Amino acid sequence: HAADAHRTDLMTITRFVLNEQSKYPESRGDFTILLSHIVLGCKFVCTAVNKAGLAKLLGLAGETNVQGEDQKKLDVLSNEVFIKALVSSGRTCVLVSEEDEEATFVEPAKRGKYCVVFDPLDGSSNIDCGVSIGTIFGIYMMKDAHEPTLDDVLQPGKNMLAAGYCMYGSSCTFVLSTGKGVNGFTLDPSLGEFILTHPDIKIPKKGKIYSVNEGNVKNWDGPTSKYVESCKFPKDGSSPKSLRYIGSMVADVHRTLLYGGIFLYPADKKSPNGKLRVLYEVFPMSFLMEQAGGQAFTGKERALDLVPTKIHERAPIFLGSYDDVEEIKRLYAAEEKN
Ligand code: P6P
């Protein structure tokens, strides 16, 4: 009957989070309500992204649609959906989006105690060629019950209560950590529900894949160059690592989480802080990696220890299998000594 139980005992993401909530008797379910609004936003984006190709075919995307309105670009549309869903949840006070230069401060009547930082559609330049893209988010508790300020979102990543992403690819996969491990859910379109498909994800301690944009090799610093060299020509005679680089962070990180290995977006001469954004790319993915038994390093420190000073600040990032990141930490430490 195990199979039957699986078929009838549907562990939806809502039920999963309610189970978590039941461990905190004093909790009033605010987090559960917040998460259900994030999930709603992801379901909307999933359908919109899947129709994007068709929309292009029908000349909707980018031009005027059948109602003669200007069809919004998907990332702008996704951002509006998430901002509206988060404000209407009544559980947020400060929102930071990759799409908005300034933070959004929720009006007092709809204010809650959570702050959400997110990239509504990361990698959206890949939509037209069908590469997987995703929504990335992190959740902080406001610092204390006062007038919300930017300080509520300029917290180190280790203060996050939860983080996750939703990948829009061959299937729609929602990966979440609330600080007690990592779990993956797959959207069942017939139910419109995310079902638990990847319980308690743990990243392999060491991997056989490295993931970096080798086009930047001429600008890399010493430790990064030495590390990538060691992936291609291992000194211990082991076989070289494979290179897999999709160029969409959610897709590259999801593969790293499930298969192991290391994802790198290093600093280089052109961009001394790398390219990826601290609040809504580096922190959420680093949080997930640590929760899955991996680690995340900026070249100088543990990624989650970094204290951001600007909401769109960038940082270099090396994240993935524990032993692989340990290698690059050793090379940066050696560089420090010289
Ligand atoms: P590059 C997509 O534009 C993105 O923000 C991430 O999703 C991805 O990891 C990175 O940039 C790719 O950057 O410079 O290799 O094209």
Side-chain angles (χ1 to χ4, degrees), residues 9-24 31-32 35-36 39 162-163 174-186 193-201:
D9 184 19
L10 291 174
M11 181 51 83
T12 63
I13 194 163
T14 309
R15 193 176 142 199
F16 183 87
V17 175
L18 276 170
N19 283 354
E20 294 295 300
Q21 175 196 319
S22 63
K23 296 170 189 162
Y24 302 96
F31 180 77
T32 305
L35 201 87
S36 66
V39 166
F174 194 103
V175 173
L176 170 72
S177 174
T178 58
K180 292 185 292 302
V182 180
N183 290 281
F185 303 82
T186 304
E193 286 282 359
F194 281 99
I195 307 295
L196 181 65
T197 47
H198 298 70
D200 195 22
I201 300 174

Side-chain angles (χ1 to χ4, degrees), residues 13-14 17 32-46 82 85-86 137 166 168 174 176 187 192-194:
I13 194 163
T14 309
V17 175
T32 305
I33 290 167
L34 170 61
L35 201 87
S36 66
H37 283 77
I38 292 175
V39 166
L40 174 69
C42 291
K43 286 178 185 173
F44 171 88
V45 173
C46 179
F82 277 109
L86 290 167
F137 66 91
C166 190
Y168 311 108
F174 194 103
L176 170 72
L187 184 65
E193 286 282 359
F194 281 99

Side-chain angles (χ1 to χ4, degrees), residues 50-115:
N50 288 345
K51 270 186 259 174
L54 193 61
K56 198 146 183 74
L57 187 70
L58 300 176
L60 298 185
E63 287 103 47
T64 56
N65 61 21
V66 286
Q67 289 85 5
E69 298 143 358
D70 282 342
Q71 183 63 27
K72 289 189 171 69
K73 276 168 59 67
L74 264 181
D75 42 9
V76 173
L77 193 69
S78 308
N79 185 50
E80 287 176 10
V81 166
F82 277 109
I83 294 281
K84 291 195 174 97
L86 290 167
V87 170
S88 67
S89 77
R91 294 325 188 263
T92 63
C93 55
V94 188
L95 307 176
V96 170
S97 167
E98 192 269 347
E99 287 290 327
D100 298 330
E101 195 49 42
E102 304 304 327
T104 298
F105 291 89
V106 180
E107 59 181 289
K110 294 197 170 157
R111 224 170 253 172
K113 58 191 178 189
Y114 294 109
C115 306

Side-chain angles (χ1 to χ4, degrees), residues 119 122-126 136 212-213 216 245-250 252 263 265 275-276 281:
D119 187 343
D122 182 83
S124 50
S125 56
N126 293 293
I136 312 172
V212 68
N213 180 343
N216 298 329
Y245 193 70
I246 303 168
S248 175
M249 188 183 198
V250 174
D252 279 317
F263 171 81
Y265 208 108
K275 172 184 182 182
L276 300 179
E281 289 176 316

